[in-house]
């Protein structure tokens, strides 16, 4: 019954920006860590950014650090990923994820995460 629904993907020029949103339902949002993973065609899925239930702990991939910002609104059950200075190598399907435990959601490969959204495609053109 858990649903994580992403929006905001699309085609962006290199150097441009995009803002992804994830709407969560069926979970007690305020006690779940949330995050974003991505998977490019032919590549393994990878962590992009994760945020703890209260927003105090945040982890970014090296690639995302300094360019992307994760945030959440616990009153509205929303998590966001602001992506700036996009590069062609950022092209991927971006997935919203949710988990009760920080250890699970902060794994680089996403193994063991409880809930995954359907994904939204982000394409960055050179």
């Amino acid at each position: 019954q858990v649903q994580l629904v992403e929006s905001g993907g699309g085609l962006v020029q290199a150097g441009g920006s995009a803002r992804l949103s994830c709407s969560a339902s069926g979970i007690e949002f305020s006690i779940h860590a949330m995050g974003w993973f991505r998977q490019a065609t032919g590549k393994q899925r990878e962590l992009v950014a994760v945020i703890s239930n209260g927003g105090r702990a945040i982890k970014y991939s090296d690639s995302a650090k300094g360019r992307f910002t994760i945030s959440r609104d616990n009153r509205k059950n929303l998590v966001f990923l602001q992506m700036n200075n996009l590069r062609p190598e950022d092209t991927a399907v971006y997935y919203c994820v949710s988990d009760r435990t920080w250890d699970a959601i902060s794994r680089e490969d996403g193994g063991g995460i409880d809930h995954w959204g359907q994904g939204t495609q982000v394409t960055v053109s050179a």
Side-chain angles (χ1 to χ4, degrees):
Q1 198 68 296
V2 175
Q3 292 190 32
L4 305 175
V5 181
E6 304 95 334
S7 61
L11 178 63
V12 187
Q13 287 188 334
S17 298
R19 182 177 173 86
L20 306 183
S21 299
C22 173
S23 178
S25 61
I27 61 169
E28 190 170 348
F29 187 80
S30 63
I31 65 170
H32 280 74
M34 304 293 299
W36 296 91
F37 281 68
R38 70 186 183 188
Q39 186 167 25
T41 301
K43 296 186 177 181
Q44 298 273 33
R45 66 187 179 188
E46 62 177 343
L47 182 150
V48 179
V50 292
I51 186 168
S52 64
N53 59 351
R56 290 188 175 183
I58 294 174
K59 177 181 178 179
Y60 295 104
S61 68
D62 288 341
S63 177
K65 197 175 303 179
R67 300 189 299 130
F68 296 179
T69 302
I70 188 170
S71 60
R72 65 189 294 160
D73 184 341
N74 282 3
R75 295 185 300 176
K76 298 181 178 180
N77 287 16
L78 294 173
V79 61
F80 306 98
L81 185 68
Q82 178 67 44
M83 303 186 292
N84 298 326
N85 193 24
L86 284 162
R87 305 162 180 164
E89 54 263 41
D90 294 317
T91 296
V93 177
Y94 284 72
Y95 297 93
C96 180
V97 299
S98 175
D99 201 283
R100 182 65 181 85
T101 67
W102 181 256
D103 285 347
I105 203 166
S106 61
R107 282 181 56 178
E108 298 292 338
D109 64 358
I113 290 177
D114 287 340
H115 305 116
W116 292 76
Q118 81 288 349
T120 185
Q121 175 72 42
V122 175
T123 301
V124 184
S125 61

